[in-house]
Amino acid sequence: MLPFGGQVDFILKIHTRSLEEYHDFVKTKLSKIENIGVLNSTFVLKEIKQSSEYYI
Protein backbone atom coordinates (compact mmCIF):
# COMPACT_ATOMS: atom_id res chain seq x y z
CA MET A 1 0.00 0.00 0.00
CA LEU A 2 1.29 3.46 -0.90
CA PRO A 3 1.43 6.21 1.74
CA PHE A 4 -1.11 8.94 1.04
CA GLY A 5 -1.28 12.49 2.36
CA GLY A 6 -5.00 12.37 2.99
CA GLN A 7 -8.21 10.51 2.36
CA VAL A 8 -8.92 12.13 -1.02
CA ASP A 9 -6.61 12.07 -4.04
CA PHE A 10 -8.94 13.81 -6.51
CA ILE A 11 -12.24 15.65 -6.46
CA LEU A 12 -14.33 15.47 -9.61
CA LYS A 13 -17.23 17.91 -9.76
CA ILE A 14 -19.88 17.03 -12.32
CA HIS A 15 -23.35 18.32 -13.15
CA THR A 16 -26.10 15.95 -14.24
CA ARG A 17 -29.78 16.49 -14.85
CA SER A 18 -30.86 13.56 -12.67
CA LEU A 19 -29.67 10.78 -10.38
CA GLU A 20 -30.27 8.34 -13.21
CA GLU A 21 -27.91 10.32 -15.46
CA TYR A 22 -25.32 10.35 -12.66
CA HIS A 23 -25.70 6.60 -12.21
CA ASP A 24 -25.17 6.05 -15.94
CA PHE A 25 -22.04 8.25 -15.84
CA VAL A 26 -20.58 6.26 -12.95
CA LYS A 27 -21.51 2.93 -14.51
CA THR A 28 -20.30 3.63 -18.05
CA LYS A 29 -17.36 6.00 -17.43
CA LEU A 30 -15.90 6.03 -13.90
CA SER A 31 -16.23 2.32 -13.20
CA LYS A 32 -14.23 1.57 -16.36
CA ILE A 33 -11.11 3.35 -15.02
CA GLU A 34 -8.83 0.69 -13.52
CA ASN A 35 -7.03 2.87 -10.95
CA ILE A 36 -10.15 4.02 -9.10
CA GLY A 37 -10.28 2.10 -5.85
CA VAL A 38 -12.97 3.90 -3.89
CA LEU A 39 -15.71 6.23 -5.10
CA ASN A 40 -17.58 8.51 -2.71
CA SER A 41 -20.44 10.72 -3.85
CA THR A 42 -21.87 13.90 -2.37
CA PHE A 43 -25.01 15.54 -3.72
CA VAL A 44 -26.06 19.18 -3.49
CA LEU A 45 -29.62 19.55 -2.22
CA LYS A 46 -29.76 23.34 -2.47
CA GLU A 47 -27.35 25.73 -4.14
CA ILE A 48 -26.53 28.75 -1.99
CA LYS A 49 -23.62 30.27 -3.92
CA GLN A 50 -23.07 29.84 -7.66
CA SER A 51 -19.49 31.12 -7.95
CA SER A 52 -16.54 28.91 -7.09
CA GLU A 53 -14.05 31.80 -7.05
CA TYR A 54 -12.02 32.31 -3.90
CA TYR A 55 -10.12 35.56 -3.48
CA ILE A 56 -6.90 35.52 -1.49
Side-chain angles (χ1 to χ4, degrees):
M1 178 179 250
L2 297 173
F4 294 105
Q7 292 181 341
V8 177
D9 293 322
F10 294 97
I11 295 175
L12 175 65
K13 184 178 179 180
I14 63 168
H15 295 257
T16 60
R17 290 179 280 263
S18 66
L19 286 176
E20 291 80 16
E21 188 176 302
Y22 170 76
H23 179 263
D24 290 340
F25 173 76
V26 170
K27 186 177 177 182
T28 61
K29 303 289 186 195
L30 288 182
S31 66
K32 304 296 182 189
I33 301 172
E34 293 180 17
N35 293 331
I36 293 181
V38 176
L39 174 67
N40 292 311
S41 300
T42 303
F43 299 95
V44 175
L45 299 177
K46 180 179 179 182
E47 187 175 48
I48 297 171
K49 181 179 177 184
Q50 291 184 356
S51 174
S52 61
E53 296 173 346
Y54 183 76
Y55 296 102
I56 301 175

